[in-house]
Amino acid sequence: MSAKDTDWDGVRLHVVTGKGGTGKTTVAAALALALAAGGRRVLLVEVEGRQGIAQLFDCPPLPYEERRVAVAPDGGDVYALAIDTEEALVEYLEMFYSLKRAGKAMSKLGVVDFVTTIAPGLRDVILTGKTSEAVRRKNKDGSFVYDAVVMDAPPTGRITKFLNVNDEVSGLAKVGPIRNHADTVMKVVRSPETAVHFVTLLEEMPVQETMDGIHDLHAVGLPVGGVFVNMEHPPLLPAETLAAAADGTLDVEEIVRGVKAAGLEQDAERIAAVLAAEATAHARRTALQEREKERLATVEQPRYTLPLLSDGMDLAGLYELAGALREQGAA
C-alpha cells in the first residue's frame, strides 16, 4: 500500500495516547513500523521516561540520542528517541539563552527538577518542542530528515493539557524565547500535518476516556486522528452458543455428552461445568465488546482494530500489528 492510499496522507506528526493499560506504546511502535514500510524513515519518540520502546524492540535502554531500532518491511528505518527532561532543558537553555555550562550546573544541583516542578508547563513545552523540532528538521537539500514522527504521548487524561502548551506557558511568559518557542510548537501541533490518535480496549472505562479525550481536543481546536481498538478478543463460539451462554440457557447435559464422547468419561460433569463457566464468561466478554463497539460507532474518527496476539507481544508481534495497520489503511 502506498503512502497516498492511507487515511493519514500528509500527516507527519502522529501523537498516540490512551488510557493506561491499553497498550499505547505498543500501538505507537507498530504504527512507526507501518509508516516506515517501503523505504521511509520514521522517528519514534518516548516522553515518559519508561524505556518502553527499548523493551518492545528488545534493545538496551535508549540514551538521549536518536538511534535506529528496527528495519521496517520493504526497507524502511525506524529510529527511536527517549527524551530526557534534564538533557532537553540543558539543550533548551543553550539554544535560547547560551547557558550550556549553567544548565549542566543547574542539573547537578537539582535545579532542573525544581524548575519543572514549579512550572510544569515548561516541561511539556520542552518535550513537545523536541518532538516538533524533529518534525521540522530538514536535510541540506531541503527534504525532511524524517518522513514521519510518532510520539508515544502521556495518557488520555493528560493529553489535552500536554499538547495545548500555549495555555500552559501563558502564566510563565508573555514574550521572549519561551513564548516564541511555545508558539512554534503550537504551529506544528495545530497544523494539518498532525493527528492525535487514541488507543482503547473494548471496555467501558477506556472507551469513555477515549470519547471524553476526543471531545476535549475538539474543544480546544487540536487535530484528532483515529481510534485504535487494541487486543480485540475474537468470538470463539458460534453465535447461538454465545447467546445461550449469555442468557443462562446453555445445555450443560449436552456438554457432558460431548466430554464423554471425547473419551473423558471420568469427571465429565466437573469438566462440563468448568467449560460452561468459561463459555458464560466468554459470552459476557463478547457482548461487552459489541456494546462498546456500538458506542465507538458514534465517534466520527476512523477506527482500526488490532487483534489479541495469542503468543504474547514480542518483536514478531509488532511486525504483525504493523501489517494489520497497513492493511486497514492507517499507514
Side-chain angles (χ1 to χ4, degrees):
M1 178 176 291
S2 69
K4 292 184 179 180
D5 293 327
T6 72
D7 289 332
W8 309 113
D9 185 27
V11 172
R12 300 191 57 255
L13 174 57
H14 297 263
V15 180
V16 180
T17 185
K19 179 177 169 56
T22 58
K24 70 178 178 65
T25 300
T26 298
V27 173
L31 180 59
L33 273 173
L35 289 166
R40 292 184 288 275
R41 183 183 173 109
V42 174
L43 177 65
L44 176 60
V45 179
E46 180 177 71
V47 299
E48 293 185 283
R50 296 184 293 105
Q51 290 291 340
I53 292 174
Q55 294 174 34
L56 281 172
F57 286 100
D58 194 25
C59 63
L62 295 169
Y64 182 52
E65 63 182 43
E66 294 160 20
R67 287 192 174 182
R68 190 172 73 168
V69 293
V71 176
D74 304 324
D77 291 317
V78 175
Y79 287 75
L81 172 66
I83 299 180
D84 178 275
T85 306
E86 285 193 359
E87 292 284 348
L89 180 55
V90 170
E91 192 175 80
Y92 176 86
L93 290 173
E94 179 186 17
M95 184 181 303
F96 293 106
Y97 297 98
S98 301
L99 292 175
K100 185 172 185 179
R101 289 184 179 180
K104 289 183 177 179
M106 287 171 62
S107 181
K108 290 180 181 178
L109 293 170
V111 179
V112 170
D113 289 337
F114 176 71
V115 170
T116 55
T117 297
I118 64 171
L122 179 58
R123 179 182 182 276
D124 291 348
V125 171
I126 291 168
L127 294 173
T128 53
K130 183 66 178 176
T131 304
S132 64
E133 182 278 324
V135 174
R136 302 191 314 272
R137 195 187 313 157
K138 292 186 177 181
N139 297 303
K140 291 182 179 179
D141 64 2
S143 63
F144 287 109
V145 172
Y146 293 107
D147 295 291
V149 176
V150 179
M151 178 197 286
D152 177 20
T156 308
R158 208 170 80 78
I159 192 63
T160 302
K161 186 176 182 181
F162 175 77
L163 292 175
N164 200 23
V165 294
N166 264 353
D167 284 353
E168 287 300 287
V169 302
S170 60
L172 297 175
K174 303 297 183 183
V175 295
I178 293 178
R179 176 82 263 170
N180 293 339
H181 186 54
D183 289 343
T184 300
V185 170
M186 289 309 300
K187 285 181 182 178
V188 174
V189 172
R190 289 188 184 277
S191 79
E193 293 188 338
T194 295
V196 184
H197 306 298
F198 289 81
V199 180
T200 187
L201 304 179
L202 290 175
E203 298 174 1
E204 184 176 356
M205 287 301 296
V207 167
Q208 187 61 53
E209 283 205 14
T210 295
M211 298 176 74
D212 290 344
I214 290 172
H215 175 271
D216 291 345
L217 286 185
H218 280 313
V220 296
L222 293 176
V224 180
V227 175
F228 292 74
V229 177
N230 196 23
M231 295 185 282
E232 181 175 7
H233 295 243
L236 303 175
L237 297 171
E240 59 271 18
T241 305
L242 287 173
D247 63 19
T249 60
L250 198 62
D251 189 344
V252 178
E253 289 303 318
E254 183 179 352
I255 299 175
V256 171
R257 290 192 293 271
V259 171
K260 289 181 177 179
L264 301 173
E265 294 194 15
Q266 187 175 2
D267 289 335
E269 287 77 9
R270 182 182 62 81
I271 295 172
V274 171
L275 291 174
E278 289 287 338
T280 299
H282 179 62
R284 289 173 178 168
R285 170 80 189 191
T286 302
L288 170 63
Q289 288 192 155
E290 291 305 313
R291 287 198 300 272
E292 296 309 317
K293 279 184 182 180
E294 291 177 4
R295 293 178 69 201
L296 285 175
T298 64
V299 174
E300 295 182 356
Q301 274 60 46
R303 192 170 75 202
Y304 312 95
T305 300
L306 294 171
L308 175 68
L309 299 179
S310 57
D311 294 332
M313 178 50 60
D314 55 14
L315 193 54
L318 273 183
Y319 279 89
E320 183 178 339
L321 296 182
L325 290 176
R326 293 185 70 201
E327 288 176 2
Q328 295 175 67

